Amino acid sequence: MTNHILLLGPPASGKGTQARRLAEYLNVPCLGTGKLLRNEIKESTEIGKIAEDFINRGAYVPDGVIMTMVEEWMVDNQSGWLLDGFPRTKPQAEALNNMRRPDMVLALEVPQEELEFRITKRRECSSCGATVAVKNSTDTICPECSSGELVSRSDDALDSFKIRYANYTELTKPLFDYYDDLGMLRKVDGTQSPDEVFNEITKLL
Ligand code: ADP
């Protein structure tokens, strides 16, 4: 059965949205390292204090910090998972392979210009946590829960996006080849609508 799945893709490729849907569909927990890190920051934990600087600069958080957080999460979630935003570097991928190999790696492909367009429209609900694309930059109420306030993430400025995209190209994109060589990679066209992307993914499972 395919229930250990990894989603790869550039920032704003729709990974988070697909991860939530897919985790629900497969009834497995979803690990979003970006979300976990933002929680650590909100709660001013030791990890949060270290991570904040890196995230606001658009830099990757050091592998050791990420692995401490992920290993702790994995203890309670061994029977299946959906990984969103982890692994992001080769050392992280190797560490994951030593714990549990993914059954399948789904790679969302979206060109850079489309990502830049999306990033200026992305908001996160401060109440239910949904990620939504606004039509007008003045939209403030979450369409998912109809009550929460929509906020821009502090790392979603275009300049910071460009740094994150450069990091992605240098450090994460090579994981496509890494997983392709292991015969695990399945590419998905991420420029389609969220429903179309989801359909394509479920056909691959
Ligand atoms: P995005 O997919 O748009 O980059 P995330 O919410 O997944 O957003 O991550 C936000 C930030 O958290 C990243 O830019 C990075 O600084 C940090 N981060 C998240 N996951 C990892 C990871 N596995 N390794 C290193 N840094 C990470």
Side-chain angles (χ1 to χ4, degrees), residues 28-45:
V28 293
C30 177
L31 170 70
T33 41
K35 272 221 161 93
L36 278 191
L37 288 166
R38 284 193 288 281
N39 278 342
E40 300 273 350
I41 292 170
K42 219 194 258 169
E43 286 164 20
S44 296
T45 64

Side-chain angles (χ1 to χ4, degrees), residues 9-13 15-16 32-38 51 54-63 66 69-70 84-89 92 119 122 124 153 155-156 160-161 164 167:
S13 58
K15 256 186 307 128
T33 41
K35 272 221 161 93
L36 278 191
L37 288 166
R38 284 193 288 281
F54 288 95
I55 292 185
N56 287 339
R57 279 188 284 121
Y60 280 1
V61 174
D63 290 332
I66 298 291
M69 215 171 58
V70 171
D84 163 24
F86 169 86
R88 255 179 166 89
T89 63
Q92 290 178 21
I119 208 91
R122 177 156 80 172
E124 199 169 78
R153 278 166 37 181
D155 61 351
D156 264 357
S160 155
F161 169 79
R164 280 193 291 151
N167 284 333

Side-chain angles (χ1 to χ4, degrees), residues 6-204:
L6 194 164
L7 267 178
L8 275 181
S13 58
K15 256 186 307 128
T17 305
Q18 296 301 328
R20 278 162 73 115
R21 286 182 72 167
L22 201 52
E24 197 175 311
Y25 179 80
L26 294 169
N27 197 22
V28 293
C30 177
L31 170 70
T33 41
K35 272 221 161 93
L36 278 191
L37 288 166
R38 284 193 288 281
N39 278 342
E40 300 273 350
I41 292 170
K42 219 194 258 169
E43 286 164 20
S44 296
T45 64
E46 279 311 304
I47 285 184
K49 282 179 204 153
I50 299 170
E52 188 165 20
D53 243 27
F54 288 95
I55 292 185
N56 287 339
R57 279 188 284 121
Y60 280 1
V61 174
D63 290 332
V65 176
I66 298 291
M67 289 319 301
T68 305
M69 215 171 58
V70 171
E71 276 164 16
E72 202 175 297
W73 187 89
M74 289 271 173
V75 173
D76 299 323
N77 296 285
Q78 292 180 19
S79 57
W81 33 244
L82 199 286
L83 306 182
D84 163 24
F86 169 86
R88 255 179 166 89
T89 63
K90 191 129 177 264
Q92 290 178 21
E94 285 165 346
L96 174 66
N97 267 358
N98 289 333
M99 285 191 276
R100 169 55 160 100
R101 277 192 173 215
D103 301 318
M104 185 181 284
V105 177
L106 297 162
L108 286 178
E109 296 191 296
V110 181
Q112 185 177 358
E113 311 79 69
E114 168 70 15
L115 297 170
E116 287 182 7
F117 175 75
R118 289 180 184 185
I119 208 91
T120 57
K121 307 237 171 252
R122 177 156 80 172
R123 302 285 184 279
E124 199 169 78
C125 176
S126 48
S127 171
C128 73
T131 301
V132 300
V134 292
K135 289 200 182 67
N136 300 306
S137 50
T138 48
D139 293 351
T140 52
I141 301 297
C142 174
E144 300 271 325
C145 68
S146 308
S147 63
E149 188 193 357
L150 295 176
V151 290
S152 286
R153 278 166 37 181
S154 58
D155 61 351
D156 264 357
L158 195 56
D159 284 351
S160 155
F161 169 79
K162 289 194 170 158
I163 299 169
R164 280 193 291 151
Y165 190 75
N167 284 333
Y168 168 80
T169 308
E170 185 194 348
L171 298 166
T172 308
K173 193 75 205 304
L175 296 185
F176 281 41
D177 286 341
Y178 174 79
Y179 284 116
D180 205 15
D181 290 346
L182 294 171
M184 298 175 178
L185 195 78
R186 303 287 177 275
K187 288 184 181 168
V188 177
D189 174 7
T191 62
Q192 309 172 90
S193 73
D195 283 347
E196 286 166 337
V197 174
F198 187 67
N199 282 342
E200 194 174 324
I201 288 175
T202 51
K203 278 189 204 131
L204 291 170

